Amino acid sequence: MQLAFPRNAAPRIMKLSIKHVSSLLGAVTLGLFLRNLHGSFEALHPSTGRSSSEAPKGRRRPGGKVTFSGVLNRGNLQASENCSVPAAGRSHWRQVEPKDLEIIRSKPSGPWGAAITNCEMRGEAMVFRLDLRKATKAGGQAYEIPFPHYIVADEGGSWRETRSTLQLFTVGESGWFHPMGPAHSRHDDISSKGNGAYSHWRHALTSGPSGASHIRFSTPRNVELGDLHGVAVVVFPMAPPMGWIEFAGGKKVTHEEIFREMFLQTFATVGASTPHLIEEAAETRAGTRYLWRIGGNGEFSLPLKDGELYEKRMPYQIAEWYSEFEKQGGILFPPPESYKYYQNKVGLARLFQETKVKTPKTWVFSSFAEAESAQGSIDFPVIIKDPYGFSSLGLLQAADVDEFLKNVKRYFEDALAGVEAIVQSKVIALREARVTYIDGRPFHAYWRIRQSLTSASAASNLGGYQDFNFPLNEIAPYVEEFARITGIPVGGVDFMWQEAEPDVKSTPFTLEVSPTSDLNPPAPASWSSTYAEFKYTPGFRTEYLAVRRQWTDLMALAVIDRYRQERKHLFVDIDNVVSLSMDRMRRLKGKKEAYSAVEVMKDQAVPGAAEALEKLGSHFFIRFLTARGSYEDPFNVTQTWLRMNGFTGLFDDLIVVDGPESKVAHMSSETLLVDDFTLGHETEKPFQNTKFMEKLRKAELPFVVFPLGGSWDDVMPELLRQAGTSDDQGG
């Protein structure tokens, strides 16, 4: 069976009542109609059914761009390969070199790319179809299949253990989705018990750039994998409005434009397919999360006042210029304030002193005379640095007073007027570590090994070697603390230990940190020459860009992580809380027909539910959590019912589980559930599911009981209290 609707069908369909639609169509036809209807609606506004020129009002959030064609044929999706197409930058912005742009825009070559047959948008949900031939046995009842790392996945050891919004559904021959679960299951339970349990997980960020994401799953009733018609993945991105800030006034040095193009690719994959691209603070949209990256060497350049020096003024100009976007309500990541320390070792020396970061003993001199007068207080050997330099350029050393006076004099003779000298005690060690971190979490690091103990630096341009066998997990606690106390959440930091075989769990010397550090891909294990030579080998550029793309993906995920922690998560049941489903159950006496798409679409909304959720959306993430395992095509039917009853844009997530017990997997002590907790709706006297309520109490999972047949006014005071506000405060 095949149904296709013309692009202008949605306005005409919207004029039909739910009752009229369901009376015209049989159950199977209605299921196809519902899924086609999503495609027709999206021809208007991605999430509201309005024309794209109409702005959404209130809390109702616009969805992402939809590429679903609106044609289904027995569940085979005729859709674009990607969920959304990356946005394009403004035509006058600096352009990436064609060869680099081709690499950046190339299709993924990793295993997860082959494991996905296609992806479409259904409302605000990303729907992936898996190629089950790519799944491998993972012990017992468990299978595993790779999945894109840019989709937020569970990560062990913290609140991130249940952060994934991914849902798995088996797909029947008719194209209906049936929920699997429980989600977030332990891997040993998936293996030993199976029966549809699954987990969407990723290697810890500290596993490095090679870390990957996977779906570990079992089949319903533990049937053979080949017996399944298909498996679909549904992900609600739960991403904030995102954007990019371009500084268009500098010269091209192939940094900003590369990261912009990478972020444009990343935005599309995390569900923010229409990022707000701007270059002036006046264009800022309040509440939008803006990413940005800029460098020196003329890439960022603003007029200077008389007597100002570019190298000294630039870090502060960057911080000031981008902070103007924050004043307009933009939320920038990384925070502009951290850029005061970009190529600014004088500022860093002060910061490290104020925050008590362990560093080699450091002096800042403004002139040769000042350095000469302090010669007796200096502990040799020392390194003499340009405080506004980079890549270890211009480093000088001094082993004693005579060499110090000679080299510091030479330094000031060559330096621009007004530039200080940084003098730092030399830590005698053959290796130092460069650790790149995002939001205080290290994900990339390597040892930089000096040619000899007499070398001023381990930088590759000074003949240094790199060893990427670095224990990221062991340095992670200190990096988190370092980012917290310095207020620099994103950066590349250089650490050093005096021991020949350092214990990286011990507090290191910190040499410097930069908010825009470069990332280097590892050389092959067989590589025996210097890393500087490796940079000129075939294939290096592809790897160089690939590790930077991983950085942009993780930056976006950090923004999403931060966003999802801003408000409490409110899980909302649908039956008898949002939908008057008890009327249907009583009318049809709980028979199979009561769960059909035709009948479910006749349900009326609970009066005041949409208005209540719009109000609560200012204080909570609204996540529908409904047990509809007995329903016909429950996800698609429920999503369409919500859309046709005025709930579009009022919720962040729609989770469909097989039964009430599977709701527990999504909850935590920090979330809140509002549910009617009743059973027996087909009878004259429904009763409370006290067993389930007691289970939640024992697990210390908070909930609020919605009175059966009651109204949202009955629970709003308690919900607002739980949100930390009250109705008097404007809720």
Side-chain angles (χ1 to χ4, degrees):
M1 180 181 294
Q2 186 177 51
L3 288 175
F5 295 98
R7 291 186 178 180
N8 62 350
R12 299 199 301 269
I13 293 168
M14 285 294 288
K15 294 178 181 178
L16 299 175
S17 69
I18 298 297
K19 184 176 181 180
H20 188 194
V21 169
S22 57
S23 67
L24 292 175
L25 302 172
V28 175
T29 306
L30 179 61
L32 293 174
F33 165 79
L34 296 175
R35 291 189 292 278
N36 278 276
L37 194 54
H38 285 295
S40 297
F41 285 159
E42 297 306 330
L44 296 175
H45 189 276
S47 71
T48 64
R50 295 183 292 269
S51 67
S52 59
S53 62
E54 294 180 71
K57 298 179 181 178
R59 191 234 185 207
R60 296 176 185 259
R61 295 176 297 276
K65 181 178 179 181
V66 171
T67 58
F68 179 42
S69 67
V71 180
L72 284 138
N73 186 4
R74 292 184 62 81
N76 295 319
L77 308 178
Q78 307 298 315
S80 299
E81 183 176 347
N82 297 313
C83 283
S84 51
V85 178
R90 296 180 179 178
S91 60
H92 66 276
W93 288 353
R94 297 186 293 265
Q95 299 303 305
V96 175
E97 298 298 329
K99 288 185 178 179
D100 283 349
L101 193 59
E102 182 180 354
I103 295 171
I104 292 170
R105 293 179 176 177
S106 61
K107 295 180 181 179
S109 57
W112 60 262
I116 296 173
T117 60
N118 55 24
C119 179
E120 66 171 55
M121 294 297 293
R122 293 191 181 176
E124 294 183 359
M126 305 169 77
V127 180
F128 301 85
R129 292 294 289 269
L130 299 179
D131 184 349
L132 296 181
R133 295 171 298 179
K134 305 300 181 183
T136 57
K137 288 289 291 183
Q141 305 295 340
Y143 297 87
E144 195 157 88
I145 194 166
F147 201 67
H149 66 268
Y150 51 72
I151 300 296
V152 178
D154 293 345
E155 189 176 337
S158 69
W159 59 270
R160 297 181 177 89
E161 287 182 331
T162 57
R163 68 175 177 174
S164 171
T165 61
L166 180 145
Q167 302 174 67
L168 279 188
F169 295 85
T170 57
V171 182
E173 290 187 10
S174 61
W176 297 345
F177 288 10
H178 189 83
M180 297 168 59
H184 311 292
S185 291
R186 292 169 51 92
H187 286 188
D188 55 352
D189 285 341
I190 299 172
S191 177
S192 61
K193 301 176 184 177
N195 195 27
Y198 65 89
S199 166
H200 172 220
W201 67 282
R202 66 157 289 141
H203 295 110
L205 201 66
T206 51
S207 64
S210 61
S213 295
H214 302 270
I215 300 173
R216 183 167 295 197
F217 67 100
S218 55
T219 61
R221 301 177 303 282
N222 296 326
V223 301
E224 293 295 326
L225 188 62
D227 293 341
L228 298 182
H229 182 74
V231 171
V233 174
V234 172
V235 177
F236 279 81
M238 284 186 65
M242 298 173 81
W244 166 263
I245 299 174
E246 181 92 358
F247 182 81
K251 71 178 183 180
K252 181 176 181 178
V253 293
T254 67
H255 283 123
E256 182 186 41
E257 61 269 22
I258 282 179
F259 283 102
R260 175 230 304 149
E261 291 301 326
M262 289 181 174
F263 273 119
L264 293 181
Q265 300 293 315
T266 291
F267 289 144
T269 59
V270 299
S273 59
T274 54
H276 191 220
L277 310 180
I278 61 175
E279 57 186 79
E280 298 292 341
E283 300 175 279
T284 305
R285 290 177 183 168
T288 296
R289 274 67 175 171
Y290 292 99
L291 288 132
W292 58 287
R293 177 160 173 146
I294 196 69
N297 198 24
E299 185 175 57
F300 183 92
S301 180
L302 288 176
L304 298 168
K305 296 178 181 178
D306 290 343
E308 286 187 333
L309 187 66
Y310 173 77
E311 287 79 4
K312 293 185 67 171
R313 186 75 183 100
M314 177 195 64
Y316 300 98
Q317 283 186 319
I318 291 176
E320 292 162 5
W321 192 81
Y322 283 95
S323 69
E324 291 299 315
F325 295 83
E326 291 185 314
K327 292 176 182 177
Q328 300 298 319
I331 302 171
L332 274 63
F333 191 71
E337 185 73 7
S338 66
Y339 263 69
K340 291 193 307 186
Y341 307 107
Y342 173 59
Q343 294 182 11
N344 181 5
K345 296 180 182 65
V346 172
L348 279 176
R350 293 172 182 150
L351 175 69
F352 291 164
Q353 184 177 23
E354 292 168 1
T355 56
K356 296 180 171 54
V357 171
K358 181 180 177 182
T359 63
K361 195 171 181 180
T362 303
W363 299 263
V364 180
F365 298 121
S366 300
S367 65
F368 172 70
E370 195 175 292
E372 185 179 32
S373 65
Q375 60 183 290
S377 65
I378 294 175
D379 301 327
F380 296 100
V382 295
I383 303 291
I384 303 167
K385 304 178 179 180
D386 176 353
Y388 311 108
F390 56 93
S391 299
S392 300
L393 297 175
L395 289 183
L396 297 171
Q397 299 190 77
D400 52 37
V401 171
D402 291 341
E403 189 175 15
F404 169 70
L405 293 175
K406 172 187 172 183
N407 283 342
V408 80
K409 183 178 181 181
R410 172 185 161 192
Y411 172 87
F412 278 109
E413 288 174 347
D414 294 338
L416 295 171
V419 172
E420 306 94 327
I422 294 286
V423 177
Q424 197 166 65
S425 292
K426 182 177 180 180
V427 179
I428 306 299
L430 196 61
R431 59 172 64 195
E432 63 189 55
R434 163 60 61 88
V435 180
T436 300
Y437 63 92
I438 294 174
D439 218 4
R441 306 177 70 209
F443 91 101
H444 180 278
Y446 55 91
W447 293 109
R448 301 201 297 184
I449 305 170
R450 287 174 164 80
Q451 276 191 324
S452 70
L453 288 175
T454 62
S455 300
S457 166
S460 60
N461 62 323
L462 296 181
Y465 291 78
Q466 275 70 40
D467 177 3
F468 286 81
N469 185 25
F470 187 90
L472 272 171
N473 195 53
E474 294 180 14
I475 195 70
Y478 183 73
V479 172
E480 181 180 13
E481 175 68 6
F482 173 82
R484 185 189 67 80
I485 63 176
T486 61
I488 303 176
V490 177
V493 58
D494 292 339
F495 293 137
M496 184 180 286
W497 295 261
Q498 288 181 301
E499 298 79 12
E501 297 295 331
D503 175 8
V504 302
K505 293 191 294 294
S506 64
T507 303
F509 288 100
T510 299
L511 303 182
E512 61 182 283
V513 64
S514 171
T516 63
S517 67
D518 273 345
L519 297 96
N520 288 319
S526 59
W527 188 256
S528 58
S529 299
T530 66
Y531 195 86
E533 292 172 292
F534 170 60
K535 292 181 178 180
Y536 294 97
T537 60
F540 172 80
R541 190 67 179 175
T542 299
E543 295 301 317
Y544 172 91
L545 293 173
V547 74
R548 280 154 179 73
R549 171 62 194 277
Q550 288 177 313
W551 182 86
T552 62
D553 288 345
L554 293 173
M555 286 286 286
L557 294 183
V559 169
I560 294 172
D561 267 354
R562 285 184 165 214
Y563 171 68
R564 291 186 184 179
Q565 294 181 82
E566 290 179 357
R567 302 191 297 277
K568 202 166 189 174
H569 291 236
L570 177 65
F571 291 106
V572 180
D573 188 19
I574 289 182
D575 291 319
N576 306 306
V577 176
V578 170
S579 164
L580 295 172
S581 57
M582 185 169 65
D583 295 345
R584 162 174 42 89
M585 298 301 296
R586 284 182 173 175
R587 175 168 47 84
L588 297 169
K589 299 180 173 25
K591 296 177 182 177
K592 184 177 180 181
E593 183 185 0
Y595 303 97
S596 69
V598 170
E599 296 299 332
V600 172
M601 291 300 295
K602 297 176 184 177
D603 287 351
Q604 298 296 308
V606 171
E611 293 78 7
L613 292 178
E614 184 161 21
K615 185 175 185 178
L616 290 168
S618 300
H619 310 289
F620 294 96
F621 288 103
I622 306 298
R623 305 179 67 182
F624 286 125
L625 179 57
T626 181
R628 289 190 160 187
S630 301
Y631 282 54
E632 183 179 85
D633 201 9
F635 176 79
N636 293 303
V637 171
T638 303
Q639 188 185 35
T640 303
W641 183 91
L642 289 167
R643 176 176 294 257
M644 298 185 74
N645 281 273
F647 292 93
T648 296
L650 297 182
F651 61 95
D652 300 275
D653 194 7
L654 166 59
I655 305 169
V656 179
V657 297
D658 53 352
E661 300 298 314
S662 290
K663 292 182 178 182
V664 176
H666 299 272
M667 300 168 62
S668 76
S669 60
E670 302 299 318
T671 65
L672 182 64
L673 170 68
V674 56
D675 197 310
D676 64 296
F677 295 102
T678 56
L679 300 171
H681 302 120
E682 70 281 4
T683 68
E684 289 299 321
K685 293 184 178 181
F687 55 93
Q688 281 198 323
N689 189 348
T690 55
K691 182 178 179 181
F692 182 41
M693 295 168 69
E694 185 58 28
K695 181 176 181 177
L696 295 182
R697 289 192 185 98
K698 287 184 177 180
E700 298 183 344
L701 299 175
F703 62 87
V704 171
V705 177
F706 190 96
L708 187 65
S711 75
W712 277 87
D713 289 340
D714 298 325
V715 295
M716 283 296 283
E718 176 60 17
L719 293 176
L720 291 172
R721 187 191 70 80
Q722 294 269 4
T725 184
S726 69
D727 197 45
D728 293 337
Q729 293 173 299

